[in-house]
Amino acid sequence: MTSMCRKHVVRGVSGVLGLVVLVAAIFLVYQQAVAAKVAQTTTVRLIPPATARSGEAIEVLLVAEQARNLAGFQATVHFDASRLRLSGALLEKDLQRSGRDLLVLGPVMRDGSVALGAATCPVVACAQPPRPGVARIDHGVSGRVVLARLTFYTEAPGAYVVSLENVRLVDPQGRSLPLAVSGTVLNVRTR
């Protein structure tokens, strides 16, 4: 091989290696962006008890996990009312951890579903007239947030699907937050 040919081969190999390094760098940046987006997503899930028995109250938690700056939510929980009875729904006050006052929206119980929601306002006492000098609280809560407790009852053992629909999370400015939703199956055993 002549020295001229070797120079062209070396340049060609260098160019290909440079292109491979560039593609690998772009791929890594893309993976990091996807991982960051997933890390910013709040998961809203129904969490069943470790053990559920027929003829006893079965408490299920509605929880937002990995929340960031959460100030309000809405959700509808669906279940088979012919097999499972909703005996109670209670909104939790975990959204108040930021110091913001809680405005409760529901629960609204229907046959086979319950609609729940809550919002916070930027002061400690929403119902009182505004007072001068009262500081506004412009941040929501982060981390694991218990939104509600649902109590079900059944006499029959079995597997009962409980699902979520119409879920929405908002920050203190009313902007929607990215979320993923996860229902559950209640595995009820005999007493």
Side-chain angles (χ1 to χ4, degrees):
M1 220 188 237
T2 67
S3 74
M4 188 63 124
C5 282
R6 281 189 205 130
K7 286 182 185 179
H8 286 295
V9 168
V10 168
R11 284 186 192 154
V13 169
S14 296
V16 169
L17 286 175
L19 184 60
V20 168
V21 168
L22 178 63
V23 168
I26 290 171
F27 180 72
L28 288 174
V29 168
Y30 174 76
Q31 276 189 318
Q32 288 173 345
V34 168
K37 181 69 174 167
V38 168
Q40 293 175 357
T41 300
T42 300
T43 301
V44 179
R45 70 180 66 227
L46 292 164
I47 301 176
T51 340
R53 301 200 185 283
S54 60
E56 297 177 0
I58 303 165
E59 189 175 86
V60 176
L61 297 178
L62 176 61
V63 176
E65 294 178 344
Q66 298 179 346
R68 285 180 178 61
N69 202 26
L70 179 62
F73 82 98
Q74 72 179 33
T76 302
V77 179
H78 289 275
F79 55 94
D80 182 352
S82 68
R83 301 180 63 219
L84 195 61
R85 185 179 79 201
L86 177 68
S87 57
L90 172 69
L91 287 159
E92 290 293 321
K93 298 186 179 198
D94 220 3
L95 283 172
Q96 288 181 302
R97 286 190 320 215
S98 66
R100 296 168 62 94
D101 198 6
L102 188 66
L103 302 169
V104 175
L105 311 167
V108 177
M109 294 185 192
R110 299 183 184 109
D111 189 32
S113 70
V114 59
L116 305 154
T120 57
C121 67
V123 292
V124 175
C126 293
Q128 296 180 358
R131 294 184 317 228
V134 172
R136 291 177 55 87
I137 303 165
D138 293 327
H139 61 278
V141 294
S142 297
R144 185 176 194 263
V145 184
V146 179
L147 303 171
R149 290 180 190 277
L150 306 163
T151 307
F152 293 96
Y153 181 84
T154 185
E155 285 291 334
Y160 300 94
V161 174
V162 183
S163 62
L164 286 167
E165 289 183 7
N166 304 321
V167 179
R168 184 169 182 222
L169 303 177
V170 294
D171 69 10
Q173 290 72 40
R175 294 181 297 242
S176 290
L177 297 171
L179 63 100
V181 175
S182 176
T184 192
V185 174
L186 299 179
N187 290 306
V188 180
R189 295 190 248 161
T190 55
R191 288 189 248 197

